[in-house]
Amino acid sequence: MSEAASANAPKPSSSVKLVLLGEAAVGKSSLVLRFVNNDFQENKEPTIGAAFLTQKCSLPTRTIKFEIWDTAGQERFASLAPMYYRNAQAALVVYDVTKPSSLTKAKHWVAELQRQASPGIVIALVGNKLDLTNDGGDVSEAAGAAQDESESAQNGEEGAGEEDEVQDAVSGDARKVSTREATGYAEEEGLLFFETSAKTGTNVVDVFTAIANAIPESSLKTGRGTGAGTGQTSLGNRSAEDSRVNLGDRNAATAKEGCAC
Amino acid sequence: MIPWSSFVQKAQSLIDPANFNIPALSSPDHNPSKASLFRQQFRLPDSQNPLQEITADLVLPLPNSSANQGDGSRKVDRAGNTYTGRLHLSERFICFSTQPTSFIPSATASTSTAWTGQTHGTGPSGNGFVLPLSCIRRVERLHSASHVFSLALTTWNGLLNKQQEPNLVPQRLILQLVGSRQACERFCDTLKKGLREGMKEVDNLRTVVTDCYSEYLLSGAKGKGQDGNESDTRQPPDAGLGLIFRYPGDARKLRDRSKMRLWGEYFRENGRNATLIRQPTFHKLIRVGLPNRLRGEIWELTSGSLFLRLQSPMLYQQTLSKFDGQESLAIDEIEKDLNRSLPEYPGFQSEEGIGRLRRVLTAYSWIDPEIGYCQAMNIVVAALLIYMSEAQAFFLLSALCDRLLPGYYSTTMYGTLLDQKVFESLVEKTMPVLWDHLTKSDVQLSVVSLPWFLSLYINSMPLVFAFRVLDVFFLEGPKVLFQVGLAILRVNGEELLETQDDGSFISVLKSYFSRLDESAHPRSENPKLRAITRFQELMVVAFKEFSGITHSTITETREKHKGAVLENIETFAKRTSIRNLGPESKRLSVDDLGTIYDRFYETLYQWEQRQRVIEEETRRQERKRSQRLSMLAPPADTQVGRVGLGPSPTHMDYEAFREFLAATSKWAVADSPGPSGKEPSSGKSALWANRRQPANHEFMQRLYRKWATNPEEGLNLQNVVNGLARLKGSPDIMNNINYFFDLYDDSGNGQVDREGILKISEALLFLSRRGFEGTITATPSVENLNSTADRDHAENSLTTDEKFLGSVSAFIRRCFEYADPSHPENRKADQQDATAEATEKLDSFAIGDDDEEEDLIDVDDTKPASSPAPDATAQTAKSATPESNSDDHNRSTSESANPALDPNNPLHITLPTFRMVVLADELLEQFFESYFPQSFHLSDHPHPAALAASSSMSSNLTTFSNLGSIRSSGLAAGSAPVAGASGGIVPPGKGLRGVLDNIVSDGIRMAAEVKKRMDEAQRDLERNALSREEDEDEEDDEDYPRRENTAAAIPGGIPSWGAGAYGADTERRSIVRDADRDLLEGAEVLGGGKEERTSLLDGKDDANHAPRKVSGSAASAKDDGSPTARDGEVISKLVEFES
Ligand SMILES: Nc1nc2c(ncn2[C@@H]2O[C@H](COP(=O)(O)OP(=O)(O)OP(=O)(O)O)[C@@H](O)[C@H]2O)c(=O)[nH]1
Ligand SMILES: [Mg+2]
């Protein structure tokens, strides 16, 4: 709830284009669904092409409106990706902590973004499905590991990584990608790093908050709306207020967003 | 050559739906062939070709049936309809269409594409029929007073059921052919032939037809309780999951019953399923939406997938059982999505529905491995399965992927991307204001529209409406998707103009889709207007306002954009794949990687093409038509890997690798086009004309084996990149020496034996035979070394190439000199001395401590004896001008030569020895330091092919013209067997014996002699009945059969370096060196059989000479970038000649 509204007074609002990339079925759409609607579906339809959703994130000094592009993960859709990450200011590169191949794919995406996306793009590496690992059960601890900005998050993870490996050895953990390996890589490449669970909600909001904080003030274009200011970003009443526009969805939701253009 | 152009061409041939059946090679123009237009228009399988066509009147007799009908609701008092159109005949179909078309070969392209214009809602095949010949029961020639040539066709319509249909009137239609008597006769003859064949397929027809709901409907079984109790027992055919889980939408609101009644009537009058005749009502009935239980059948009919099913009715079941239990990547991907396909439809929350979906997707992934499975197919197939059986969905999916949505689901999805571009450009053209707005507010249209096309609106509109779109889509083709898309934007135009970003843009459309069933004019006074739903409005806008969007609009726009789209995809693919090559690849520059990438795939592509042409030729000879697994796909000769080979190739085998090397290194190009029986002699010469015939040397095989992770599987891009990175990636000479040594360390124990040493020397000569490209220069001191012998007059004029021969020769000598015996117990005293000497030197060179373990014993043995290394040796190591050693060397050569040559004393060199020997020679050092790695040309040099191709004509590479007659003798003495087999140039007329004395020994000859002597020794041994197992011999025995040419049979012959590689090259290695004379003399004595062999060669000479020259000029013409038809001819003749 770190971004829960402190906002009764209008704050400067700006929009940030964010793209989600990663192997098929790692849980990209689920992460977005959790962030936007605080919901989770066991049988989420695969994303065809891309889905577009928006969600606001309230920071102490400003409001960030995320324009989220959720892309399809199947390999052959990769050539469509440039269409979606074009002009993106932030990217969530997602892998599945129980599938090592998905981290490899994530690394490919990071490399692709670093070379092809707009310079200065903020990239967060996200290991999803934390609930399937042993440390996934303890929400508070895992959440504590990485809730702040990149530096502190990464420092925190160092310690956690070692614990992981001990745990891996002891139990029938589904984890196949150690925290340490991923942190190491994230550090090397200067990425934000989180482990999340879309299912339980662990760390999900934190990822987006961290990204919002990491976007340099200078690169923010002012949003079309001036701060919405009605506190709709708190998790509780989100679903009622926020627009959720899925390209594949038949039941349309109108974007209200409280913005008066 | 632009590396990607061929790729683009390939992909283009895949993209163009009309291009399907033309071999991409023989039809460079982009006009779709008439045959494929014909198939497209009538939705026929690819096996069909237009055989006959003639203008005709179709006379449909007054439907008697309706008069006899009990209900009598329709009092028909019109006369029989007559349509004028074109009658077409293919192998298995007779088709009639009112669309003006012509597919005869003499028709112009414009007339044959006429149908792609407006079809006024009748679909491309217009009014008329497409009858499988197996449907025709009888044909009568009608007598008529006039000159009209009339045929009456009676069909099996309604007669294939077990039960007698009530009130059935046999379907009979009359065709009045309009044309000359001969034309009519010809048509009838072909028809007769076809009918005879068609009769064999009546059983298929019966099977297929029984699955059609129309048969059930008309059999009267449906009308329960009316009459005919016995028919009640019949089960309705599978009309999709809807029969079990209900069809989507409200059947009453959809007026399903009355639609059904109308269709029943239509069927009775015009035939059903395979025997249906299309009259204007047919198209109208489709436009208003199909009734649930007939939907699947009509889709099958209009899309033409019915004909695919008719062609191989059991293919679906067969495919499932054939691949039962097998796994694949596609299956994994399918499994992930099974629960995620139309989850809101109850049928797909059940095992029944999921199971059907799984089977159809899986079966399709097997018959079309190139597509496998693409997300969105799950949604489309799920939708189909609501209305049709598994088999029907399977064939319809095939029609979709191959013809209706070409390239949509391919691994690059180029079809999807292309059609997005097409759509955008149509929006720009038809709605410029909206387009401007979208551009200004940076809204990306394709982001919205892509799912529309990819999942046929199924995922965007409420299902009932999406199915209405599909009804028309299957009849009229892909243009419908565009028309509907444009209409959506047009209808929402005003609202869309107010949106400012992607988000609001998407919301407008989403809310529109959710209200499609509402009134389009809710506030209208006119109740009729009020009754019009938004969906109806959409249909009207789509098909009226955008009626100008025709099939040819789409085809033309696709044509315009496909180049750019493909380039984008390719750039992306290349970028991604290069970036993902792993750490090893970082040693090469991005440019180099790009070059490797292009060359790799270009080679693969061309290799495939050639293989296919060859296969095609073979197949043509065997049997013309063979049953293909994939149905609509073009025959195997037009599309890569369609039938047996799987998805487009990623691995190159050794043969393709040779081609790759030939494009990379000059030494890998053969000197003359070798005889290759595989190459077709005519027609396709262009494919071979551009080609550098690659050499085939043992060294190349070694490289291949070294680079491959799995030689069986072939080399992938990663292997090639890693292989080259290790060679070129570090400028370290040690690295290169080690690498080379490793290539020959067959046993992996750090030792290379006698055979290996000889092979290394052969490889050195092979690699250097085209010169050094200026990477090696000999310093004067080398010449001094060479002139230690008594004959030194020509030394200063020796070229580097020639000096290098000396170096190789010295290399062999030294190797044997410093080799370690393989069995310590066999050592004799003198050998020990030699070893001691060797080790001592070895120590003084002090290279590569890491290998010391291997030599531990030797080192221990000899350490006490080792004297302090003389400065001279150290100096040698550095300057590689072992002047002070040369005498030593020669002496020790003679001393150690004999034991070295004795096959009873197996020996080997280790890596340190090898390094020492290499570093002892300036030229060899330079060879490994610069030439060898640099001889692999990547982006850093002009394309080596250019150099290589012209090399046979230029003087800097061969001394061909300079050396004159000496060469022939050198050749004769040294490598006659080689040349003899490979057909190199042998200048005629020089006596052998006379020149022998003067001949020089080059490295090849050295090797030959060494071998020969060993063999002689061996023969002696055998003669003395001393049977002992010899390593050498075993190797030789294994070795020779591998070699392709006859030289292999000759004792001491040099293994060939393939097609003609060596003829000229051996010749220029004509340097007399006295040190080698003794060997030579031996050769003279031993070489008894040589003479006749050489004379054989002479005989061959003329024959081989001519084509070589021709090829040279053809090749150089090609390198100017202007391959001409004449070059092609020349080459093809050449090929003919050679084979
Ligand atoms: N246990 C667990 N399952 C998850 C989690 N996140 C997603 N899933 C499941 O993983 C599957 C795929 O989730 P999606 O969100 O559709 O994955 P995606 O990355 O959007 O997939 P594509 O759209 O095909 O690229 C679904 O069945 C989800 O229920 C998680 O945090 N924990
Ligand atoms: Mg998704």
Side-chain angles (χ1 to χ4, degrees):
Chain A
M1 309 268 158
S2 53
E3 40 63 273
S6 64
N8 285 328
K11 281 182 289 186
S13 165
S14 41
S15 55
V16 165
K17 178 172 174 182
L18 178 146
V19 62
L20 279 99
L21 298 166
E23 199 177 80
V26 294
K28 296 180 296 296
S29 304
S30 300
L31 281 172
V32 179
L33 186 64
R34 171 65 68 189
F35 176 57
V36 173
N37 281 356
N38 196 18
D39 191 12
F40 179 76
Q41 288 172 8
E42 205 62 56
N43 287 330
K44 185 104 192 61
E45 281 192 36
T47 311
I48 303 300
F52 179 84
L53 302 90
T54 59
Q55 169 66 309
K56 280 187 183 159
C57 184
S58 189
L59 301 178
T61 56
R62 55 187 172 161
T63 302
I64 300 278
K65 181 186 165 198
F66 279 115
E67 295 175 347
I68 303 168
W69 291 93
D70 172 24
T71 64
Q74 200 188 10
E75 183 70 39
R76 65 188 71 186
F77 284 81
S79 57
L80 310 186
M83 214 153 75
Y84 305 114
Y85 67 61
R86 191 181 58 113
N87 298 332
Q89 292 144 285
L92 238 82
V93 178
V94 187
Y95 69 93
D96 179 342
V97 292
T98 68
K99 254 187 99 189
S101 69
S102 68
L103 179 62
T104 313
K105 184 74 205 158
K107 289 178 181 175
H108 292 168
W109 278 124
V110 170
E112 168 84 8
L113 288 170
Q114 285 171 340
R115 288 217 205 168
Q116 303 296 332
S118 23
I121 186 171
V122 177
I123 305 175
L125 180 69
V126 175
N128 191 36
K129 307 202 183 176
L130 191 63
D131 56 288
L132 299 176
T133 69
N134 283 349
D135 40 341
D138 191 346
V139 174
S140 60
E141 191 201 299
Q147 62 181 356
D148 287 319
E149 280 188 55
S150 55
E151 287 82 8
S152 59
Q154 282 162 14
N155 293 340
E157 289 294 326
E158 288 278 32
E162 275 155 49
E163 281 166 39
D164 285 340
E165 265 156 62
V166 177
Q167 284 171 351
D168 285 355
V170 198
S171 66
D173 195 340
R175 182 191 279 278
K176 294 271 172 52
V177 180
S178 77
T179 310
R180 189 209 292 237
E181 181 192 352
T183 330
Y185 169 72
E187 229 161 83
E188 231 169 74
E189 300 293 333
L191 317 172
L192 302 174
F193 174 72
F194 291 90
E195 288 188 341
T196 62
S197 166
K199 190 168 183 173
T200 63
T202 306
N203 263 350
V204 174
V205 174
D206 308 69
V207 177
F208 289 90
T209 315
I211 286 180
N213 280 316
I215 303 274
E217 197 95 32
S218 57
S219 79
L220 292 173
K221 39 175 186 179
T222 22
R224 281 170 286 271
T226 58
T230 39
Q232 76 273 47
T233 46
S234 71
L235 285 174
N237 61 359
R238 213 179 245 174
S239 45
E241 292 282 343
D242 289 329
S243 82
R244 169 161 189 271
V245 186
N246 187 324
L247 289 176
D249 221 84
R250 240 159 267 118
N251 309 311
T254 317
K256 286 194 208 144
E257 274 313 323
C259 60
C261 330
Chain B
M1 191 179 301
I2 305 146
W4 273 107
S5 63
S6 57
F7 246 154
V8 172
Q9 265 170 23
K10 171 195 172 191
Q12 280 173 344
S13 73
L14 297 181
I15 278 192
D16 194 337
N19 227 357
F20 275 148
N21 212 35
I22 336 157
L25 326 164
S26 58
S27 65
D29 63 313
H30 292 290
N31 281 334
S33 77
K34 296 192 174 73
S36 75
L37 283 174
F38 169 69
R39 289 188 283 265
Q40 285 239 335
Q41 168 160 11
F42 296 109
R43 304 283 158 82
L44 297 177
D46 281 339
S47 53
Q48 300 305 302
N49 294 291
L51 301 179
Q52 296 285 338
E53 64 175 64
I54 196 164
T55 304
D57 287 338
L58 168 64
V59 183
L60 299 171
L62 195 84
N64 310 353
S65 59
S66 59
N68 297 346
Q69 209 108 64
D71 60 0
S73 60
R74 270 172 56 98
K75 288 277 170 262
V76 189
D77 56 1
R78 61 197 157 96
N81 290 328
T82 301
Y83 298 95
T84 303
R86 207 81 181 143
L87 188 64
H88 301 267
L89 200 59
S90 75
E91 289 87 344
R92 289 285 184 283
F93 289 85
I94 184 166
C95 317
F96 180 85
S97 169
T98 50
Q99 302 288 337
T101 51
S102 179
F103 302 108
I104 50 168
S106 58
T108 64
S110 60
T111 57
S112 65
T113 51
W115 65 275
T116 59
Q118 292 193 33
T119 56
H120 302 291
T122 55
S125 31
N127 293 311
F129 56 76
V130 180
L131 291 178
L133 291 178
S134 54
C135 285
I136 297 174
R137 215 173 119 210
R138 192 156 17 109
V139 179
E140 299 153 84
R141 171 89 192 271
L142 298 182
H143 292 284
S144 59
S146 64
H147 295 292
V148 184
F149 199 105
S150 285
L151 297 176
L153 271 58
T154 317
T155 71
W156 285 107
N157 180 53
L159 299 170
L160 295 168
N161 265 324
K162 282 179 220 101
Q163 290 126 335
Q164 182 73 44
E165 262 177 49
N167 309 324
L168 181 84
V169 179
Q171 187 186 35
R172 194 158 183 266
L173 37 114
I174 292 165
L175 290 164
Q176 296 173 338
L177 309 191
V178 183
S180 71
R181 181 134 220 112
Q182 284 120 308
C184 295
E185 298 284 4
R186 229 183 303 127
F187 189 92
C188 288
D189 283 349
T190 317
L191 177 62
K192 236 181 272 170
K193 241 180 270 163
L195 285 171
R196 229 170 283 136
E197 290 297 311
M199 272 160 55
K200 300 173 190 161
E201 285 163 16
V202 178
D203 282 341
N204 276 2
L205 182 69
R206 184 175 279 118
T207 318
V208 165
V209 150
T210 325
D211 293 343
C212 292
Y213 195 85
S214 56
E215 295 290 338
Y216 174 76
L217 179 73
L218 297 179
S219 71
K222 226 214 118 218
K224 237 186 185 178
Q226 267 184 337
D227 58 313
N229 293 337
E230 90 274 26
S231 55
D232 285 2
T233 52
R234 215 195 122 181
Q235 285 292 312
D238 185 355
L241 289 166
L243 279 184
I244 311 172
F245 298 97
R246 305 191 69 239
Y247 293 101
D250 179 349
R252 277 191 62 185
K253 231 167 112 189
L254 293 172
R255 319 218 309 149
D256 202 59
R257 272 180 82 113
S258 54
K259 285 178 184 171
M260 208 64 179
R261 213 170 38 239
L262 288 171
W263 276 100
E265 234 167 76
Y266 188 86
F267 288 154
R268 271 186 272 276
E269 292 173 13
N270 298 286
R272 78 295 295 269
N273 51 64
T275 47
L276 184 130
I277 291 161
R278 293 183 310 267
Q279 298 209 55
T281 321
F282 178 72
H283 308 286
K284 280 184 205 142
L285 284 173
I286 290 177
R287 278 281 171 90
V288 298
L290 290 163
N292 290 327
R293 276 160 296 175
L294 285 174
R295 183 165 258 152
E297 178 182 331
I298 303 294
W299 284 354
E300 201 186 13
L301 183 65
T302 53
S303 68
S305 71
L306 176 72
F307 305 134
L308 299 177
R309 194 155 69 87
L310 180 61
Q311 187 173 262
S312 34
M314 301 312 290
L315 182 62
Y316 175 64
Q317 286 80 3
Q318 283 163 355
T319 307
L320 280 180
S321 54
K322 180 171 168 199
F323 294 98
D324 187 37
Q326 294 193 37
E327 291 183 3
S328 71
L329 172 68
I331 290 181
D332 292 347
E333 291 178 324
I334 291 167
E335 214 55 42
K336 260 188 219 165
D337 287 351
L338 287 176
N339 292 319
R340 310 161 83 190
S341 318
L342 298 189
E344 69 271 27
Y345 181 72
F348 293 109
Q349 289 154 18
S350 77
E351 234 351 278
E352 177 63 30
I354 300 274
R356 291 188 189 197
L357 184 60
R358 174 188 290 118
R359 287 189 292 273
V360 173
L361 288 173
T362 306
Y364 190 75
S365 78
W366 289 123
I367 64 145
D368 193 347
E370 215 166 80
I371 286 183
Y373 168 73
C374 176
Q375 288 186 330
M377 278 164 76
N378 61 328
I379 290 164
V380 170
V381 172
L384 301 184
L385 282 172
I386 297 177
Y387 294 100
M388 53 189 1
S389 71
E390 287 173 48
Q392 286 175 314
F394 169 79
F395 287 102
L396 187 47
L397 179 60
S398 176
L400 272 173
C401 294
D402 284 335
R403 192 170 284 170
L404 292 166
L405 305 175
Y408 271 42
Y409 302 128
S410 83
T411 44
T412 58
M413 303 185 72
Y414 60 81
T416 307
L417 291 170
L418 177 58
D419 275 3
Q420 288 313 299
K421 270 274 164 294
V422 172
F423 185 60
E424 283 176 359
S425 88
L426 292 178
V427 172
E428 183 179 4
K429 210 160 72 185
T430 57
M431 289 169 269
V433 179
L434 179 63
W435 177 254
D436 273 357
H437 176 73
L438 295 182
T439 326
K440 277 200 205 93
S441 41
D442 199 25
V443 170
Q444 200 157 7
L445 181 61
S446 60
V447 163
V448 193
S449 54
L450 190 134
W452 296 352
F453 287 78
L454 203 55
S455 52
L456 303 173
Y457 295 98
I458 295 165
N459 227 17
S460 311
M461 290 183 190
L463 280 180
V464 274
F465 299 122
F467 290 133
R468 293 278 306 274
V469 175
L470 282 185
D471 292 343
V472 189
F473 166 73
F474 285 123
L475 177 69
E476 298 186 26
K479 68 164 181 127
V480 172
L481 300 179
F482 293 92
Q483 289 174 311
V484 171
L486 291 172
I488 291 169
L489 298 181
R490 167 62 52 85
V491 171
N492 292 283
E494 279 173 32
E495 272 188 82
L496 291 176
L497 278 176
E498 278 159 31
T499 61
Q500 296 299 325
D501 58 2
D502 300 285
S504 48
F505 188 82
I506 291 167
S507 329
V508 167
L509 295 176
K510 286 197 70 70
S511 81
Y512 171 72
F513 286 139
S514 68
R515 291 182 294 136
L516 275 177
D517 55 347
E518 293 173 10
S519 167
H521 311 279
R523 277 180 281 273
S524 169
E525 301 280 295
N526 185 340
K528 267 195 179 153
L529 262 182
R530 257 203 324 272
I532 293 176
T533 65
R534 288 166 156 244
F535 180 75
Q536 284 167 325
E537 178 195 42
L538 179 67
M539 291 285 107
V540 170
V541 174
F543 301 122
K544 286 264 150 62
E545 193 167 332
F546 292 104
S547 63
I549 306 297
T550 65
H551 188 82
S552 52
T553 317
I554 307 298
T555 315
E556 280 158 23
T557 323
R558 277 179 182 164
E559 194 65 42
K560 211 161 68 200
H561 291 282
K562 72 183 168 192
V565 167
L566 283 171
E567 238 153 76
N568 273 343
I569 294 173
E570 284 151 4
T571 315
F572 179 84
K574 181 173 170 183
R575 201 171 68 209
T576 313
S577 126
I578 287 178
R579 195 164 41 239
N580 296 345
L581 279 172
E584 193 83 357
S585 70
K586 301 289 181 284
R587 294 209 236 153
L588 295 172
S589 74
V590 175
D591 281 351
D592 279 354
L593 291 172
T595 309
I596 298 173
Y597 180 94
D598 290 345
R599 196 176 297 159
F600 181 87
Y601 285 108
E602 195 195 338
T603 307
L604 261 188
Y605 169 65
Q606 292 187 345
W607 177 248
E608 285 268 317
Q609 291 268 301
R610 281 196 292 269
Q611 291 310 105
R612 233 170 318 128
V613 171
I614 291 164
E615 274 169 30
E616 186 194 353
E617 204 103 322
T618 324
R619 205 168 344 112
R620 192 167 298 157
Q621 278 153 17
E622 284 166 3
R623 199 164 64 98
K624 214 180 164 198
R625 277 183 55 235
S626 58
Q627 174 80 30
R628 281 178 301 110
L629 191 53
S630 174
M631 301 152 291
L632 264 179
D637 56 339
T638 55
Q639 205 174 351
V640 183
R642 191 59 199 244
V643 177
L645 301 169
S648 49
T650 51
H651 288 75
M652 48 171 67
D653 60 8
Y654 174 64
E655 296 304 311
F657 177 63
R658 282 171 58 207
E659 309 256 347
F660 177 86
L661 281 182
T664 304
S665 301
K666 281 199 299 192
W667 46 259
V669 180
D671 293 314
S672 70
S676 168
K678 286 196 286 181
E679 296 167 9
S681 48
S682 63
K684 307 293 199 291
S685 55
L687 260 184
W688 276 267
N690 287 345
R691 173 166 173 244
R692 296 167 293 275
Q693 176 87 33
N696 182 14
H697 187 256
E698 194 238 9
F699 176 76
M700 292 159 77
Q701 287 167 17
R702 286 183 184 268
L703 265 192
Y704 177 77
R705 264 175 279 140
K706 170 110 174 160
W707 288 9
T709 17
N710 174 6
E712 297 296 301
E713 192 178 65
L715 294 174
N716 61 21
L717 180 65
Q718 182 79 62
N719 297 142
V720 171
V721 164
N722 286 356
L724 284 169
R726 247 168 282 147
L727 271 175
K728 284 189 75 87
S730 67
D732 176 14
I733 179 173
M734 287 312 159
N735 169 66
N736 298 333
I737 295 178
N738 297 355
Y739 193 92
F740 208 88
F741 185 84
D742 274 356
L743 278 178
Y744 287 86
D745 180 7
D746 290 331
S747 45
N749 60 0
Q751 300 181 352
V752 169
D753 60 14
R754 177 183 283 112
E755 184 67 20
I757 294 169
L758 295 176
K759 286 199 174 127
I760 289 179
S761 58
E762 283 166 19
L764 292 176
L765 293 170
F766 169 70
L767 292 171
S768 64
R769 77 188 197 286
R770 287 174 171 282
F772 298 101
E773 301 164 28
T775 54
I776 295 187
T777 41
T779 55
S781 58
V782 176
E783 286 167 22
N784 292 342
L785 164 68
N786 287 340
S787 60
T788 47
D790 48 341
R791 198 190 60 87
D792 62 344
H793 63 275
E795 291 302 332
N796 287 331
S797 63
L798 284 182
T799 65
T800 308
D801 293 357
E802 290 157 347
K803 286 175 197 150
F804 189 75
L805 299 178
S807 299
V808 174
S809 161
F811 167 82
I812 302 177
R813 219 163 45 227
R814 288 180 188 141
C815 278
F816 286 138
E817 186 177 340
Y818 299 128
D820 301 315
S822 288
H823 306 295
E825 67 273 14
N826 284 350
R827 272 190 223 160
K828 308 216 163 67
D830 55 343
Q831 270 183 296
Q832 244 165 9
D833 284 350
T835 315
E837 201 186 328
T839 321
E840 170 197 323
K841 291 212 172 79
L842 199 156
D843 281 351
S844 67
F845 280 106
I847 304 150
D849 298 332
D850 48 349
D851 290 292
E852 228 162 34
E853 314 93 273
E854 293 163 8
D855 304 309
L856 218 51
I857 301 167
D858 291 14
V859 171
D860 284 346
D861 279 351
T862 55
K863 251 200 177 123
S866 74
S867 54
D871 288 345
T873 358
Q875 195 190 320
T876 312
K878 271 202 190 124
S879 65
T881 53
E883 274 172 90
S884 56
N885 281 357
S886 53
D887 284 347
D888 267 3
H889 280 172
N890 288 340
R891 218 177 304 128
S892 53
T893 305
S894 49
E895 280 168 11
S896 61
N898 289 336
L901 294 175
D902 182 358
N904 291 325
N905 292 308
L907 52 78
H908 66 263
I909 55 166
T910 59
L911 179 58
T913 316
F914 181 66
R915 284 169 175 161
M916 174 195 74
V917 171
V918 166
L919 294 178
D921 185 286
E922 185 198 22
L923 291 180
L924 282 180
E925 184 186 353
Q926 287 181 30
F927 177 92
F928 282 102
E929 175 120 53
S930 32
Y931 170 71
F932 180 54
Q934 283 175 31
S935 71
F936 294 87
H937 291 269
L938 301 177
S939 63
D940 46 359
H941 284 278
H943 205 273
L947 302 171
S950 57
S951 66
S952 55
M953 310 303 281
S954 67
S955 58
N956 66 322
L957 281 170
T958 51
T959 46
F960 190 113
S961 48
N962 312 334
L963 289 180
S965 59
I966 314 173
R967 276 180 291 122
S968 61
S969 40
L971 168 84
S975 50
V978 178
S982 53
I985 303 165
V986 185
K990 284 291 165 190
L992 276 184
R993 280 277 158 189
V995 261
L996 250 186
D997 288 352
N998 297 327
I999 322 165
V1000 265
S1001 137
D1002 59 37
I1004 296 175
R1005 289 203 50 259
M1006 274 285 290
E1009 294 312 325
V1010 169
K1011 261 208 175 139
K1012 190 165 294 177
R1013 284 189 177 201
M1014 292 190 307
D1015 287 331
E1016 284 296 324
Q1018 180 60 27
R1019 238 173 278 141
D1020 280 345
L1021 283 176
E1022 277 164 3
R1023 230 175 282 137
N1024 296 338
L1026 289 173
S1027 53
R1028 229 185 299 173
E1029 287 232 317
E1030 299 298 344
D1031 298 351
E1032 289 302 323
D1033 264 309
E1034 277 171 12
E1035 271 179 32
D1036 281 356
D1037 288 345
E1038 289 167 10
D1039 216 351
Y1040 283 137
R1042 270 213 320 267
R1043 295 170 186 155
E1044 292 169 352
N1045 76 48
T1046 52
I1050 295 147
I1054 301 286
S1056 78
W1057 2 87
Y1062 242 80
D1065 300 288
T1066 44
E1067 293 162 15
R1068 69 190 161 87
R1069 303 174 191 285
S1070 316
I1071 312 154
V1072 177
R1073 205 146 340 109
D1074 279 8
D1076 299 320
R1077 265 223 174 117
D1078 47 350
L1079 269 177
L1080 252 187
E1081 274 152 21
E1084 238 173 25
V1085 175
L1086 296 165
K1090 258 184 227 155
E1091 242 178 324
E1092 41 177 286
R1093 219 155 268 128
T1094 318
S1095 56
L1096 266 179
L1097 247 186
D1098 284 344
K1100 260 195 137 180
D1101 168 43
D1102 284 346
N1104 284 317
H1105 203 84
R1108 251 194 74 115
K1109 277 208 170 136
V1110 172
S1111 81
S1113 65
S1116 47
K1118 185 216 87 189
D1119 280 306
D1120 295 335
S1122 57
T1124 62
R1126 285 197 60 231
D1127 289 330
E1129 272 167 37
V1130 169
I1131 290 292
S1132 77
K1133 274 199 201 114
L1134 177 65
V1135 169
E1136 218 165 53
F1137 179 81
E1138 293 272 331
S1139 54

